[in-house]
Amino acid sequence: MAIPERNLALELVRGTEAAAMAAGRWMGRGDKNEADGAAVTAMRYMLNTIAMDGTVVIGEGEKDEAPMLFNGERLGSGVSPEVDIAVDPIDGTRLTAMGLPGAISVVALSEKGTMYDPRNIFYMNKLATGPDAAGVIDIEAPIEENIKRVAKKKAKSVGDVTVVVLDRPRHDEIKSRIRQIGARIKLIPDGDVAGALLTCKEEGGADLLVGIGGSPEAVITACAIKCLGGNMQCKLWVRDEKEAEESRAMGLDLDAVLTLDDLVKGDNVFFAATGVTDGDFLKGVRYEGRRIRTFSMVMRSKSGTVRYVEAIHHPKKLCTISGIDYAPEYEANHQ
């Protein structure tokens, strides 16, 4: 009988829970840097307790001038297995700071050397869908064609198709084209990882995600979609000619279509996410005085298992056994 392998996703979720609990206290307080800093510190602490030899391939990165969880940082206790790690302590930092829905904390892991490194490219053009239409999308085809294909595959009319689009001026043209063909649009202010995952969720209310978003988020999303059986295609998107020249000098092909297997190779991918603020995909953190309640999902591509985890945490106890202050005001209020 084969011995079941260790499901690292069940350990990763401790990192997303920690990040969500730390960041959630900053919901609506208008300071996205404080929210992000709290999430980064908490996630890093927990990931360093895991028995693994991890390297951050997709981290906070140069764009965020991150002091921790930066690209190339080593995480874990330093023992086998060797793994690539992708983190986004808050996908939706602004959403958290403004008290808006849809922010989540995410981390993904795969075998060493299997995650795509976008290097200097901060953005990608993305097309994603769930399992039911995984085989019919084509990022090089017009959006109208992709909508028709998805509609046919799902046995619904074009007017029933819902497309998730980041609310950015750069997407004005594609929004117009989606409207002209008669499909529906779900605009999201930020957080396209959660937006893409909606296309894979039963009764999630979305069929496609399209548009230009962060390249780190694209790799993280690919890890999740591989676990869920959907599909994703991307193309690198440069902001100006200088970035294009730098990319070509590095040997990057700006015209290449990056498939799901280009973004994350193999089929031993682990993913965990915890809600920070309430969203369509996961509920946000609940602070209940002596308890904190979190809502998470953990997935593994090799087994296809998806778990939804509702956890109850006792902040006073957690503070005594970890380096994270989960209850900064608890002691003052309960003397």
Side-chain angles (χ1 to χ4, degrees), residues 273-294:
T274 301
V276 180
T277 63
D278 281 349
D280 294 323
F281 200 70
L282 288 168
K283 294 179 183 178
V285 183
R286 303 286 194 267
Y287 298 94
E288 302 171 350
R290 297 178 181 275
R291 305 185 307 180
I292 303 174
R293 194 181 302 265
T294 58

Side-chain angles (χ1 to χ4, degrees), residues 181-229:
I181 197 175
R184 296 164 14 115
I185 295 176
K186 180 179 177 63
L187 281 179
I188 55 173
D190 287 299
D192 65 348
V193 175
L197 292 181
L198 278 179
T199 69
C200 298
K201 183 179 181 181
E202 287 188 27
E203 301 179 359
D207 302 288
L208 275 169
L209 174 132
V210 66
I212 297 158
S215 55
E217 289 84 356
V219 178
I220 294 172
T221 301
C223 292
I225 286 181
K226 178 159 278 195
C227 293
L228 290 165

Side-chain angles (χ1 to χ4, degrees), residues 39-316:
V40 168
T41 300
M43 177 176 281
R44 182 175 184 262
Y45 179 90
M46 294 307 302
L47 294 183
N48 271 325
T49 68
I50 299 176
M52 64 180 180
D53 183 0
T55 301
V56 177
V57 175
I58 302 296
E60 290 289 90
E62 179 184 343
K63 185 170 64 172
D64 299 307
E65 298 180 351
M68 293 185 289
L69 295 182
F70 53 83
N71 296 354
E73 183 176 0
R74 300 291 288 274
L75 293 175
S77 63
V79 301
S80 181
E82 291 185 289
V83 294
D84 288 346
I85 300 172
V87 299
D88 197 345
I90 310 180
D91 177 44
T93 309
R94 188 176 69 88
L95 300 178
T96 303
M98 300 304 293
L100 296 172
I104 61 174
S105 176
V106 296
V107 60
L109 183 152
S110 63
E111 296 172 77
K112 186 174 178 61
T114 58
M115 279 189 193
Y116 182 81
D117 182 359
R119 289 179 271 186
N120 68 312
I121 305 293
F122 291 145
Y123 295 95
M124 288 188 191
N125 194 10
K126 311 174 188 181
L127 183 66
T129 192
D132 292 343
V136 301
I137 62 170
D138 180 0
I139 197 169
E140 296 197 299
I143 183 59
E144 296 88 346
E145 177 63 23
N146 278 291
I147 290 171
K148 290 176 183 177
R149 291 182 184 183
V150 169
K152 182 178 180 181
K153 188 68 176 178
K154 290 191 166 188
K156 58 169 66 177
S157 70
V158 164
D160 291 338
V161 172
T162 301
V163 185
V164 180
V165 183
L166 267 175
D167 191 8
R168 300 288 187 273
R170 62 178 176 260
H171 293 144
D172 286 349
E173 180 187 350
I174 201 162
K175 286 189 294 183
S176 177
R177 291 167 60 186
I178 294 168
R179 287 166 179 153
Q180 286 176 13
I181 197 175
R184 296 164 14 115
I185 295 176
K186 180 179 177 63
L187 281 179
I188 55 173
D190 287 299
D192 65 348
V193 175
L197 292 181
L198 278 179
T199 69
C200 298
K201 183 179 181 181
E202 287 188 27
E203 301 179 359
D207 302 288
L208 275 169
L209 174 132
V210 66
I212 297 158
S215 55
E217 289 84 356
V219 178
I220 294 172
T221 301
C223 292
I225 286 181
K226 178 159 278 195
C227 293
L228 290 165
N231 194 16
M232 183 176 189
Q233 296 176 2
C234 297
K235 296 184 77 170
L236 298 174
W237 188 81
V238 293
R239 294 172 291 182
D240 50 42
E241 187 54 37
K242 179 183 177 183
E243 193 169 87
E245 290 176 2
E246 291 174 350
S247 303
R248 294 188 189 101
M250 292 180 182
L252 294 173
D253 184 352
L254 300 180
D255 297 317
V257 173
L258 299 172
T259 67
L260 197 60
D261 287 328
D262 291 321
L263 295 167
V264 57
K265 299 182 178 70
D267 192 32
N268 201 19
V269 181
F270 304 87
F271 178 91
T274 301
V276 180
T277 63
D278 281 349
D280 294 323
F281 200 70
L282 288 168
K283 294 179 183 178
V285 183
R286 303 286 194 267
Y287 298 94
E288 302 171 350
R290 297 178 181 275
R291 305 185 307 180
I292 303 174
R293 194 181 302 265
T294 58
F295 303 87
S296 307
M297 68 180 305
V298 294
M299 306 185 288
R300 184 186 185 189
S301 64
K302 197 170 185 179
S303 65
T305 303
V306 179
R307 291 180 173 90
Y308 288 91
V309 180
E310 179 178 344
I312 296 171
H313 311 266
H314 296 272
K316 188 175 181 181

